Amino acid sequence: MRHFYLIILVICSLLAGCDEGFPPLVSVEVTEILKGPPYTKTWKLNEAQQKQFELWLHERKSEGGPLFVTPLPPSFVILLIHANGSRSSLDLFSAENWKHKVIVNSSGKTRVENISPAEREWLLQLVKEMPDS
């Protein structure tokens, strides 16, 4: 029985290490989808904004699952460039029925996650604050 507990402990330790978290960020690029020409506007977050965004990514609890429907086009696409060379993205929406959802594209998987109204407002404020050029 003692070996059983040891095996369970080892499995739990391994699973805890298999976090689907994001690798450290090198850059965060925001693209706003506009209704008319030029149709998109793109900028990079400054270092302080990037640190806030990275902290949010690592502290939040994932609440979502696979994406089974095609949403309307996003209002913002946030491109994450990681230190290991990989890329991820998050899509934010303005459509009423998608306002409190974010689509996460990471490690070849796409999932939809719920965000609270307060999280959404904070994210929008963070990504809309264009850094000093």
Side-chain angles (χ1 to χ4, degrees):
M1 191 67 156
R2 204 162 120 191
H3 294 292
F4 175 74
Y5 289 118
L6 182 58
I7 291 170
I8 295 298
L9 180 63
V10 169
I11 290 172
C12 288
S13 298
L14 289 172
L15 289 175
C18 294
D19 178 358
E20 280 196 39
F22 292 92
L25 295 175
V26 172
S27 177
V28 178
E29 187 177 278
V30 178
T31 298
E32 183 176 10
I33 312 301
L34 306 170
K35 297 201 185 304
Y39 297 108
T40 62
K41 181 169 50 173
T42 302
W43 63 93
K44 287 187 178 185
L45 296 187
N46 64 32
E47 190 175 329
Q49 291 170 309
Q50 182 175 313
K51 284 181 181 179
Q52 288 180 357
F53 190 83
E54 189 165 23
L55 184 63
W56 173 78
L57 280 176
H58 291 290
E59 286 185 349
R60 74 179 306 274
K61 302 286 185 236
S62 178
E63 297 179 10
L67 180 64
F68 293 114
V69 297
T70 303
L72 296 172
S75 299
F76 291 92
V77 176
I78 304 168
L79 176 64
L80 311 175
I81 301 170
H82 303 283
N84 66 2
S86 66
R87 292 173 178 239
S88 304
S89 66
L90 284 81
D91 297 347
L92 298 174
F93 300 88
S94 296
E96 193 59 41
N97 55 339
W98 279 86
K99 271 186 172 179
H100 297 93
K101 303 209 180 293
V102 62
I103 292 182
V104 179
N105 298 291
S106 178
S107 304
K109 298 177 186 171
T110 300
R111 66 185 186 275
V112 61
E113 296 199 7
N114 300 314
I115 57 174
S116 70
E119 257 184 314
R120 181 179 190 279
E121 287 307 310
W122 180 84
L123 269 174
L124 287 175
Q125 183 177 3
L126 180 70
V127 301
K128 282 183 177 181
E129 289 177 9
M130 292 181 68
D132 299 330
S133 302

